[in-house]
């Protein structure tokens, strides 16, 4: 469980609140997404379960971000979930990461933005136009703009972010984005039927996200 | 039946036509080699993309329950021939699958991507055909093509429970293998027990996700199929050119022998005529 404590410490404070809002279903204490799903521990021996409960208590004390939690590592225990994330990020024409070991990924989804660390709860999400930020092991952050796509987090800590179109931020131009946004807004105003209106709306949303990302 | 020995004119005509054919097959080989190089280059990221899209089905081990009746088969090929056994292998697999599934009591419908599939299935299994897509193989496939296919499939009104995409998976320049990848309907995935470990999924998100995955799988199979097709056409045209050169060599020898025979005959006629 020590990888959990480690990842909890690494979460930037600003993201804690966002991430904490997601929570794991069925857990008594809403833990941060870095926590491995308790299911693995529940299925083990009662002694390990008791130890797990004790650990959770320790974590509750450790939720104050100023105090680093004490390292009480039991070398005989296996980690509750794979500590490393195998991250795959690709578009149909380009692969950015393939099974890479990264620290954290921030994704914009239809239900909100959230950050994914190793041992995140398995989930399926759909991307909306926005910025995907990848934090590598050494802390450097790389940003990509994605148009749409899907995110899959599996139980074995593999994460697949498949984007329909993804570009690095330096391929985008703020002035062009702004002029496209104006064109899209005027298109939406002039749209006659439902389908044209919906298409124009999609354009407006995408361009808004582009402008916001570049500013 | 007495067959006249081929006259010089016949052999000349044949030789000329085979030489022309050899020129055509050689140029077709060059064109496919160029298209193959491009297709293989684009296949590399597409493969990672496709395996990423299929990862959920593999890791969650989603399986349709046995009592589900409606099955969908998508055969991915192209419009153009002269590529060896590409179309026939896909059609053969399709026919076998249709037989197996109908014997098991399931309802099957077939979608053909590429005109050749439609042609090969029309006579015997024509009543299973749901949709056919044409103009495949002229340009390299893009994600837009895959999404068009996915959209038409979802709008077709056929509520399939599970299905598979049958395509030719590219192994190397000289080999490909006909492969099958599963696709599932929204209800099957939502009802699958292993999906319960995935957190916070609502119906809308799952539907979006499923539609996107369908387009991804189709894109991946299109990319693999194009690469296999171009490499197979390259091999086929190369063999054709080699055969043509063999025939040209043999015919040239026959031509020379026939020419010498004709000259000898004329000489003999002249000599015997002079003697007479």
């Amino acid at each position: 469980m020590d990888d959990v404590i480690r990842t909890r410490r690494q979460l930037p404070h600003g993201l804690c609140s966002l991430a904490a809002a997601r929570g794991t279903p069925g857990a008594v204490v809403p833990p941060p997404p870095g926590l491995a799903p308790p299911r693995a521990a529940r299925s083990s021996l009662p002694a390990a379960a008791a130890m797990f409960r004790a650990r959770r208590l320790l974590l509750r004390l450790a939720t104050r971000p100023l105090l680093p939690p004490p390292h009480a590592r039991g070398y005989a225990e296996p980690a509750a979930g794979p500590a490393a994330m195998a991250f795959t990020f690709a578009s149909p024409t380009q692969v950015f990461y393939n099974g890479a070991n990264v620290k954290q990924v921030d994704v914009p989804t239809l239900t909100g933005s959230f950050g994914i660390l190793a041992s995140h709860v398995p989930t399926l999400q759909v991307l909306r136009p926005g910025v995907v930020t990848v934090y590598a092991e050494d802390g450097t952050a790389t940003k990509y703009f994605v148009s749409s796509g899907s995110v899959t987090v599996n139980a074995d800590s593999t994460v697949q972010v498949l984007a329909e179109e993804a570009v690095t931020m330096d391929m985008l131009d703020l002035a062009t984005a702004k002029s496209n946004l104006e064109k899209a807004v005027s298109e939406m105003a002039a749209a006659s039927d439902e389908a044209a209106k919906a298409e124009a709306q999609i354009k407006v949303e995408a361009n808004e996200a582009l402008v916001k990302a570049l500013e | 039946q007495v067959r006249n020995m081929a006259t010089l004119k016949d052999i000349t005509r044949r030789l000329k036509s085979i030489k022309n054919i050899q020129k055509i097959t050689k140029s077709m080989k060059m064109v496919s080699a160029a298209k193959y190089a491009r297709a293989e280059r684009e296949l590399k990221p597409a493969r990672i993309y496709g395996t990423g899209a299929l990862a959920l089905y593999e890791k969650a081990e989603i399986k349709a329950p046995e009592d589900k009746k409606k099955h969908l088969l998508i055969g991915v090929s192209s419009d153009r021939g002269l590529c060896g056994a590409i179309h026939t292998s896909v059609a053969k697999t399709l026919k076998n699958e249709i037989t197996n599934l109908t014997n098991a009591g399931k309802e099957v419908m077939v979608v053909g991507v590429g005109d050749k599939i439609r042609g090969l299935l029309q006579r015997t299994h024509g009543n299973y055909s749901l949709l056919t897509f044409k103009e495949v193989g002229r340009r390299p496939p893009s994600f837009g093509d895959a999404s068009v296919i996915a959209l038409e499939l979802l709008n077709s009104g056929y509520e399939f429970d599970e299905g598979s995409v049958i395509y030719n998976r590219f192994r190397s320049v000289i080999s490909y293998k006909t492969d099958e990848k599963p696709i599932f309907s929204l209800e099957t995935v939502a009802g699958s027990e292993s999906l319960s470990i995935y957190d916070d999924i609502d119906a809308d998100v799952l539907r979006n996700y499923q539609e996107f995955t369908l387009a991804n799988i189709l894109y991946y199979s299109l990319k693999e199929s194009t690469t296999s097709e171009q490499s197979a056409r390259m091999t086929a045209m190369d063999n054709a050119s080699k055969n043509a050169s063999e025939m040209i060599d043999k015919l040239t020898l026959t031509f020379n022998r026939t020419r010498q025979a004709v000259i000898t005959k004329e000489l003999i006629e002249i000599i015997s005529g002079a003697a007479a």
Side-chain angles (χ1 to χ4, degrees):
Chain A
M1 296 297 284
D2 299 277
D3 56 323
V4 166
I5 299 174
R6 246 183 282 127
T7 50
R8 175 70 184 80
R9 206 164 7 131
Q10 283 158 1
L11 248 187
H13 188 55
L15 269 171
C16 290
S17 41
L18 246 182
R22 297 194 52 70
T24 325
V28 172
V29 171
L35 180 64
R39 287 162 200 84
R42 256 189 238 136
S43 58
S44 58
L45 302 163
M51 221 179 307
F52 169 73
R53 274 195 290 274
R55 288 276 158 100
R56 285 247 239 103
L57 206 65
L58 213 89
L59 250 168
R60 232 184 285 181
L61 297 172
T63 44
R64 284 169 291 153
L66 300 169
L67 258 181
H71 263 273
R73 187 190 169 99
Y75 286 101
E77 293 168 23
M85 172 180 10
F87 176 55
T88 306
F89 175 30
S91 76
T93 48
Q94 206 179 353
V95 173
F96 300 102
Y97 295 87
N98 183 15
N101 194 355
V102 298
K103 212 167 44 159
Q104 181 182 334
V105 186
D106 296 342
V107 288
T109 71
L110 284 181
T111 50
S113 302
F114 62 99
I116 305 173
L117 288 105
S119 309
H120 192 285
V121 151
T123 183
L124 303 174
Q125 294 293 339
V126 172
L127 294 172
R128 66 176 147 90
V131 177
V132 166
T133 318
V134 181
Y135 296 92
E137 280 288 317
D138 55 359
T140 49
T142 334
K143 293 191 188 220
Y144 303 90
F145 188 83
V146 296
S147 66
S148 59
S150 67
V151 182
T152 315
V153 183
N154 301 111
D156 55 356
S157 260
T158 51
V159 178
Q160 287 96 17
V161 176
L162 302 171
E164 195 166 334
E165 278 173 33
V167 287
T168 45
M169 297 305 282
D170 52 3
M171 307 265 287
L172 300 169
D173 173 40
L174 181 57
T176 323
K178 279 202 172 130
S179 71
N180 281 344
L181 177 60
E182 284 161 19
K183 262 188 270 175
V185 167
S186 60
E187 235 174 82
M188 188 157 98
S192 45
D193 63 340
E194 283 296 317
K197 223 185 179 77
E199 275 182 37
Q201 175 124 25
I202 295 173
K203 272 196 209 163
V204 167
E205 281 172 16
N207 281 310
E208 270 175 1
L210 258 171
V211 170
K212 198 165 84 128
L214 288 167
E215 267 165 2
Chain B
Q1 279 286 53
V2 178
R3 198 166 67 100
N4 287 330
M5 201 177 84
T7 58
L8 269 179
K9 215 170 8 166
D10 295 336
I11 300 182
T12 322
R13 209 175 338 134
R14 258 193 100 185
L15 207 51
K16 195 166 78 151
S17 114
I18 294 180
K19 277 191 180 149
N20 284 339
I21 291 179
Q22 198 204 25
K23 277 198 203 116
I24 294 173
T25 53
K26 238 192 211 159
S27 71
M28 277 186 81
K29 178 189 157 194
M30 296 278 137
V31 169
S32 323
K35 289 191 177 171
Y36 159 76
R38 182 181 171 173
E40 211 222 338
R41 214 176 35 231
E42 292 181 357
L43 180 64
K44 282 206 198 84
R47 243 190 198 160
I48 298 176
Y49 190 75
T51 34
L54 288 160
L56 170 69
Y57 292 158
E58 286 163 20
K59 298 211 193 263
E61 285 176 1
I62 298 182
K63 269 190 282 284
E66 282 306 312
D67 58 344
K68 290 294 178 178
K69 288 282 176 218
K70 292 192 168 188
H71 216 95
L72 177 76
L73 293 172
I74 306 178
V76 179
S77 186
S78 84
D79 286 353
R80 295 164 152 201
L82 292 176
C83 44
I86 292 279
H87 308 297
T88 49
S89 58
V90 171
K92 197 163 78 155
T93 317
L94 275 173
K95 285 182 186 169
N96 285 338
E97 282 291 311
I98 293 175
T99 323
N100 290 342
L101 289 168
T102 37
N103 287 344
K106 310 227 173 162
E107 187 189 325
V108 184
M109 283 303 234
V110 175
V111 169
V113 177
D115 218 18
K116 285 287 178 184
I117 299 289
R118 183 187 62 91
L120 283 167
L121 287 184
Q122 202 171 24
R123 204 169 313 157
T124 51
H125 296 76
N127 49 328
Y128 294 101
S129 173
L130 178 68
L131 290 171
T132 309
F133 292 89
K134 287 190 171 179
E135 296 294 315
V136 180
R138 199 179 290 261
R139 281 169 299 117
S142 69
F143 191 76
D145 301 334
S147 29
V148 161
I149 298 176
L151 194 63
E152 285 299 318
L153 205 59
L154 295 164
N155 289 343
S156 69
Y158 181 64
E159 303 286 340
F160 64 96
D161 299 309
E162 62 166 330
S164 33
V165 181
I166 297 167
Y167 64 103
N168 289 307
R169 184 169 51 90
F170 175 74
R171 285 207 298 203
S172 82
V173 186
I174 51 170
S175 94
Y176 61 87
K177 191 166 182 297
T178 316
D179 204 6
E180 224 180 294
K181 284 280 188 261
I183 51 176
F184 300 100
S185 72
L186 182 58
E187 290 81 25
T188 318
V189 173
S192 161
E193 34 182 85
S194 40
L195 205 71
S196 56
I197 63 168
Y198 287 85
D199 167 44
D200 190 25
I201 301 178
D202 52 334
D204 251 349
V205 167
L206 192 60
R207 192 161 59 92
N208 267 329
Y209 185 87
Q210 269 294 95
E211 292 176 1
F212 188 62
T213 312
L214 180 63
N216 288 347
I217 297 176
L218 284 168
Y219 174 75
Y220 167 67
S221 61
L222 275 170
K223 280 293 187 194
E224 291 266 1
S225 169
T226 333
T227 318
S228 315
E229 184 199 331
Q230 295 300 346
S231 74
R233 186 167 294 127
M234 210 168 70
T235 321
M237 292 296 102
D238 189 39
N239 286 339
S241 310
K242 278 205 201 99
N243 292 344
S245 0
E246 257 183 58
M247 284 176 77
I248 289 172
D249 291 340
K250 276 209 206 108
L251 272 177
T252 313
L253 287 174
T254 330
F255 177 80
N256 286 333
R257 256 184 286 128
T258 319
R259 188 176 52 86
Q260 288 171 345
V262 164
I263 292 172
T264 315
K265 198 171 85 161
E266 282 186 20
L267 275 174
I268 292 175
E269 276 178 10
I270 294 169
I271 294 170
S272 56

